[in-house]
Amino acid sequence: AQTVTQSQPEMSVQEAETVTLSCTYDTSESDYYLFWYKQPPSRQMILVIRQEAYKQQNATENRFSVNFQKAAKSFSLKISDSQLGDAAMYFCAYRDIIQGAQKLVFGQGTRLTINP
Amino acid sequence: DGGITQSPKYLFRKEGQNVTLSCEQNLNHDAMYWYRQDPGQGLRLIYYSQIVNDFQKGDIAEGYSVSREKKESFPLTVTSAQKNPTAFYLCASSITDRWDQPQHFGDGTRLSIL
């Protein structure tokens, strides 16, 4: 079974600095998707960024980018120019496709604090 | 605007009682999902449904039941067999023919024991 591990339960960063959140996963599949979701105190799950395993280029969305190392099964999230609104729980997720439905496997999450 | 509506936002269950959490979507998505989130943990899949009148167990289905009579609706019943139901429950949906599209989530229901 696929597993996702986030080894940093908590991280903190000064406003305007850069922070990297770690994620590793285990799978025997060759094609899959990886996601980072943000969960602010409102508890909404907000998609931050996605990466398809077949694409070698790392995904980027404005201040958010990933470092995807397929061989190492590593998928870290870099947040540049951190803002107070970035404070949230961040979840890494692996997606498999089962009979047309998506099965998401989540890591335990990393709580990110932004210090003003 | 299209989205997923979960109700109620907060729910309390008495001992031995079944309770039902509502999930409605107007995104025209075929697939729908239920997740459970415990404090300090990630989401775990309870049940999912790819199409009307069909659903499959996820990783932690014991003590839960679902139905999918309409494309828009996927209610979750927490039965009295679920001995530790206190958690945050999230409903999600997705299309089934575009693998690059992610799941969309509702705002969740917090269930507590009285």
Side-chain angles (χ1 to χ4, degrees):
Chain A
Q2 292 85 1
T3 58
V4 177
T5 302
Q6 293 178 248
S7 59
Q8 306 153 315
E10 297 183 356
M11 292 281 285
S12 64
V13 64
Q14 291 295 125
E15 193 176 3
E17 298 290 307
T18 295
V19 63
T20 298
L21 308 184
S22 301
C23 173
T24 58
Y25 59 95
D26 188 27
T27 184
S28 58
E29 301 293 328
S30 59
D31 193 20
Y32 47 87
Y33 271 87
L34 296 163
F35 300 86
W36 277 98
Y37 279 91
K38 168 185 175 181
Q39 189 179 44
S42 65
R43 306 299 295 269
Q44 274 187 303
M45 291 293 284
I46 301 167
L47 178 67
V48 175
I49 199 165
R50 79 192 81 169
Q51 174 82 42
E52 184 177 9
Y54 260 111
K55 292 186 177 178
Q56 294 186 341
Q57 187 173 4
N58 289 326
T60 299
E61 290 285 344
N62 300 314
R63 298 182 295 107
F64 299 87
S65 61
V66 300
N67 183 7
F68 174 50
Q69 302 288 329
K70 190 174 184 181
K73 295 180 182 174
S74 170
F75 183 59
S76 60
L77 175 69
K78 185 171 85 170
I79 306 174
S80 304
D81 185 24
S82 299
Q83 300 175 0
L84 294 177
D86 295 334
M89 284 289 289
Y90 285 82
F91 292 97
C92 177
Y94 167 97
R95 192 190 75 186
D96 199 358
I97 302 293
I98 301 175
Q99 297 177 331
Q102 303 183 18
K103 183 175 181 183
L104 283 175
V105 178
F106 286 86
Q108 304 91 323
T110 296
R111 182 177 301 282
L112 178 64
T113 301
I114 311 295
N115 300 314
Chain B
D1 284 342
I4 299 174
T5 301
Q6 289 188 242
S7 62
K9 195 174 177 74
Y10 300 95
L11 187 58
F12 298 92
R13 195 190 89 168
K14 294 180 181 178
E15 205 70 40
Q17 186 182 44
N18 293 352
V19 292
T20 297
L21 284 61
S22 170
C23 177
E24 303 276 334
Q25 56 99 359
N26 61 4
L27 298 166
N28 200 32
H29 286 173
D30 287 308
M32 296 186 73
Y33 313 81
W34 274 105
Y35 293 91
R36 169 180 172 140
Q37 185 179 25
D38 292 287
Q41 295 189 31
L43 282 65
R44 291 182 291 168
L45 183 64
I46 304 173
Y47 268 98
Y48 63 100
S49 167
Q50 306 99 303
I51 197 168
V52 174
N53 292 324
D54 191 28
F55 47 82
Q56 274 72 43
K57 293 181 179 179
D59 299 320
I60 54 166
E62 187 174 348
Y64 300 96
S65 66
V66 294
S67 62
R68 187 85 187 277
E69 297 177 3
K70 298 187 300 180
K71 185 176 183 178
E72 305 79 23
S73 178
F74 191 41
L76 173 74
T77 296
V78 184
T79 74
S80 57
Q82 173 51 245
K83 297 307 179 189
N84 184 24
T86 297
F88 187 65
Y89 291 86
L90 281 157
C91 178
S93 70
S94 71
I95 59 176
T96 55
D97 57 356
R98 285 281 308 276
W99 304 137
D100 62 325
Q101 295 301 303
Q103 290 183 18
H104 295 254
F105 286 84
D107 290 343
T109 292
R110 180 174 297 282
L111 175 62
S112 302
I113 294 292
L114 277 179

